[in-house]
Amino acid sequence: MDVRAIGMGLAFALMWSSAFTAGRVISTAAPPLTALSLRFFIAGAIGVALARALGQSWRLTAPQWRATIVFGICQNALYLGLYWVAFQTVEASLAAIIASTMPLLVAVFGWLFLGERVPALGVAGLLAGFAGVAMIMGARFQGGADPFGVVLCVIGVLALAVATLTMRGVSSGGNFLMVVGLQMFVGAVALLPFALLLEDVAIDWSWRLGIAYVYTIFVPGLAATLVWFLLVHRIGAVKAATFHFLNPFLGVAIAALLLGERLGPLDILGVTVIALGILAVQLSKRRVAEAARP
């Protein structure tokens, strides 16, 4: 892994982790599904326009279209839609912790449904990761965390794990930015009916809302997704996913720094255990992948 790949991985982890704080700011001031659908329309239009300017094509292959649609629905509509609704009652730090279990869930699903082998190091990582989550969840529920919001986050991260598994082995054919933009449109269209049926447009306007909204369109929305595709293309999905171990730390730290959310001793211990568990799982995957090479 070269210096450029490391820089891309760190940048992705920082951008991905910051999305929870920005999302909570927006969702507590505006109708979440409406705001998210509009964000996807704007980001999708920008992404597709830039892709066309760069000569990229929207004539994707059948597998690329299938992955784009599934990813757009599972990640953008389900995962982010449920999370933005949950942000109305769930702190950004807790949402980030739940979302950070995605690599653990992907490993479990791969083992259960795809017959993928999980070495002893990976099993230890899974046990440690879920133990860390249980530790934090117990403390947060005692502190008054909203159970319904937590359930929405759990369903959302399950959808994200499905989206991640779906994208395995699917190449963008070089149309990185075009695929990102089209995924945004899929999410926008999927969310729009629910936004129109379930929400009233009542917005608490502020400079903080404006900054968070512009930020979430360009940074977690477009830049982070594009960097992720480029990183996977550069070093492979297994190595790229190793950077997910940073997300629990960064998600909690950014929420505490910018939103003043509480950070207790059990949170710090639990986040550390989760991060080490994720790292162990990803390292075990790398060893399996390297051992399988001829």
Side-chain angles (χ1 to χ4, degrees), residues 13 41 230:
F41 272 119
L230 294 173

Side-chain angles (χ1 to χ4, degrees), residues 36 40 71-81 183-184 187 191:
L36 188 57
F40 285 147
F71 198 79
I73 291 174
C74 289
Q75 172 171 290
N76 294 340
L78 286 175
Y79 163 62
L80 287 175
Q183 287 172 359
M184 299 292 176
L191 285 175

Side-chain angles (χ1 to χ4, degrees), residues 121-190:
L121 178 62
V123 173
L126 289 173
L127 294 175
F130 289 123
V133 173
M135 186 187 309
I136 294 172
M137 297 288 281
R140 291 296 182 97
F141 277 130
Q142 290 181 356
D146 175 42
F148 180 69
V150 170
V151 169
L152 292 182
C153 289
V154 171
I155 297 173
V157 75
L158 289 173
L160 179 61
V162 171
T164 302
L165 284 172
T166 301
M167 290 300 292
R168 281 186 175 179
V170 179
S171 170
S172 67
N175 296 316
F176 295 110
L177 194 52
M178 179 62 73
V179 169
V180 170
L182 292 174
Q183 287 172 359
M184 299 292 176
F185 278 131
V186 171
V189 171

Side-chain angles (χ1 to χ4, degrees), residues 202-261:
I203 302 174
D204 182 12
W205 296 101
S206 68
W207 63 267
R208 191 167 81 153
L209 172 62
I211 291 174
Y213 201 73
V214 172
Y215 177 84
T216 197
I217 289 173
F218 288 98
V219 181
L222 284 171
T225 309
L226 178 60
V227 168
W228 175 252
F229 273 102
L230 294 173
L231 182 63
V232 170
H233 181 73
R234 187 177 184 85
I235 63 175
V238 174
K239 289 183 178 179
T242 305
F243 289 97
H244 277 291
F245 92 95
L246 295 171
N247 292 329
F249 288 116
L250 294 174
V252 169
I254 293 170
L257 180 64
L258 298 181
L259 300 181
E261 293 185 1

